[in-house]
Amino acid sequence: MAEVIRCAVLGLGRLGYWHAENLASKVKGAKLVKVVDPLEGRAEQVAKELGAEKWSQNPMDAFEDDQIDAVVIVTPTSTHAEMIKLAARHGKQIFVEKPITQTVSEADDVIQVLRETNVTLQVGFMRRFDPAYAEAKRRILAGDIGKPLYFKGVSRDGNVPHEEFIKHSGGIFLDVSIHDFDIARFLMGQDITSISASGSIINPSNLFMKKYDDVDQALTFCTFESGAAGDIETSRVAPYAYDIRGEVVGTEGAIQIGSMRNNDVKILTKQGSLQDTIQDFPSRFQDAYLLEMIHFIDALHKGEETSCTAEDGKAALEIAIAATQSFKTGQTVDLKKVLQ
């Protein structure tokens, strides 16, 4: 791969902008060359802000550009399969935000094209690159807690998405819980074999979610290959903080990951105690978004596979779809069965 990886970012919403900003100034060995967004004037605006040479409203302009080595796909999930296949067939290396596709069959198609074209793909599960989760993984591999027996995940967010987003998100399991499904596989070092999920709307202001068969509170219980187990709480009802935590219990101890504290400082007054809490995901995972992009570019330079592959993306997608199916049917889903 060239000394500098020339990149294009497709989709310039909040997350796409962050990726573009990181590539423009913070990722060694990368250069932001082009930005693409269908909204009139958006790509030009971002290009001028970040110093990109080119901009467009049409993704094909990036795929057909010989001056682009890699694309970062931050477009709606419904477009991911088509975008990935087009990028691969034009010889572009690919970073795609989660989920990899909307369906397992689409993921299978994408993986086949990636193999045929020998293109590298990384899925944007940024928690793997968060320093706290990465250190937990290192400690687990070192045997610090013995054999992992139980995983617990908590994802609470009080910033409720607007109705138009909920309408197209695929539901709480695909939109939110999928991060925990991926990090559970990552930390436990094994696949999930069965899953049981439930959920409800507990905040009256979120009753609009009912018409999209979605909920604001969910609980998932899962079983791993070894017989280990886990539970994952997912909530859109957390007015106090953006609260992301994890825990792995092993035969010799436990690892607890994450805190809602913005700074590890507690203030004590006559009125009681208080602490500054994290209020949104940009604050919590700012470093992780940068580190995952550094990893992607570094893997391309070294000609190595990324640590979050298309197969990892498919596995997390299968679990999320199985959880959604379990929630809708009230039945435990065996992931050994083919999910479509």
Side-chain angles (χ1 to χ4, degrees):
M1 190 61 70
E3 184 177 346
V4 175
I5 309 296
R6 300 164 298 182
C7 302
V9 175
L10 315 182
L12 298 171
R14 182 167 56 172
L15 187 49
Y17 184 89
W18 294 337
H19 285 315
E21 186 177 37
N22 284 336
L23 287 166
S25 60
K26 299 176 184 178
V27 181
K28 184 179 179 181
K31 181 180 181 181
L32 179 67
V33 173
K34 178 174 286 187
V35 290
V36 180
D37 193 277
L39 184 65
E40 181 71 36
R42 175 60 175 165
E44 182 177 4
Q45 172 196 353
V46 172
K48 290 178 179 178
E49 287 179 11
L50 301 181
E53 301 168 3
K54 307 174 184 179
W55 62 86
S56 176
Q57 290 181 259
N58 186 352
M60 287 304 301
D61 289 339
F63 300 143
E64 295 175 348
D65 189 339
D66 292 337
Q67 301 303 307
I68 299 297
D69 303 309
V71 295
V72 177
I73 299 172
V74 204
T75 56
T77 303
S78 60
T79 69
H80 283 188
E82 179 185 6
M83 293 287 184
I84 293 169
K85 288 187 284 188
L86 283 169
R89 286 168 176 155
H90 283 84
K92 311 304 181 187
Q93 311 306 314
I94 304 164
F95 179 101
V96 63
E97 271 304 330
K98 65 80 187 171
I100 184 170
T101 55
Q102 277 192 316
T103 68
V104 176
S105 60
E106 284 181 339
D108 286 332
D109 289 344
V110 160
I111 290 170
Q112 181 61 36
V113 171
L114 292 171
R115 289 172 179 167
E116 292 171 356
T117 56
N118 196 31
V119 161
T120 295
L121 179 140
Q122 179 174 325
V123 182
F125 283 117
M126 78 291 184
R127 290 189 195 182
R128 291 181 177 224
F129 302 91
D130 174 73
Y133 281 99
E135 176 65 7
K137 177 65 174 179
R138 187 186 72 80
R139 292 297 188 95
I140 291 169
L141 288 175
D144 288 2
I145 63 167
K147 180 182 178 182
L149 298 175
Y150 200 89
F151 171 83
K152 179 177 285 291
V154 174
S155 291
R156 298 176 183 169
D157 188 353
N159 300 298
V160 179
H162 53 79
E163 183 169 352
E164 191 64 20
F165 178 89
I166 293 292
K167 180 179 179 180
H168 298 288
S169 73
I172 195 169
F173 300 101
L174 188 63
D175 179 47
V176 186
S177 303
I178 194 169
H179 279 294
D180 286 290
F181 299 149
D182 177 72
I183 208 65
R185 293 182 65 249
F186 179 67
L187 293 177
M188 298 294 283
Q190 54 187 298
D191 283 321
I192 291 171
T193 56
S194 69
I195 202 158
S196 178
S198 61
S200 59
I201 299 174
I202 61 175
N203 188 333
S205 65
N206 294 333
L207 286 173
F208 72 90
M209 295 179 182
K210 188 174 183 180
K211 59 184 170 182
Y212 305 113
D213 207 9
D214 202 359
V215 295
D216 61 13
Q217 185 76 30
L219 184 64
T220 308
F221 183 81
C222 52
T223 304
F224 295 85
E225 289 173 303
S226 68
D231 70 83
I232 294 164
E233 177 200 337
T234 311
S235 177
R236 288 175 169 139
V237 186
Y240 61 94
Y242 181 68
D243 186 2
I244 306 296
R245 288 172 281 134
E247 183 175 10
V248 177
V249 179
T251 54
E252 305 296 329
I255 291 179
Q256 296 180 335
I257 310 154
S259 167
M260 70 188 84
R261 292 184 180 183
N262 193 32
N263 299 295
D264 196 9
V265 174
K266 182 178 288 187
I267 301 173
L268 306 176
T269 70
K270 292 180 180 179
Q271 287 72 40
S273 64
L274 58 90
Q275 63 188 37
D276 185 18
T277 56
I278 296 171
Q279 295 298 311
D280 51 38
F281 74 90
S283 303
R284 173 63 181 84
F285 289 112
Q286 181 178 8
D287 290 343
Y289 284 117
L290 173 58
L291 290 169
E292 69 175 352
M293 195 57 65
I294 290 173
H295 173 79
F296 174 60
I297 295 300
D298 190 50
L300 296 184
H301 279 297
K302 294 178 178 177
E304 298 176 351
E305 189 173 59
T306 71
S307 65
C308 195
T309 64
E311 287 76 12
D312 289 319
K314 176 189 171 184
L317 177 64
E318 284 181 332
I319 299 165
I321 290 173
T324 303
Q325 181 180 332
S326 176
F327 160 65
K328 291 181 177 180
T329 64
Q331 303 293 316
T332 297
V333 174
D334 184 348
L335 271 89
K336 294 177 183 177
K337 297 179 180 180
V338 177
L339 296 172
Q340 297 294 341

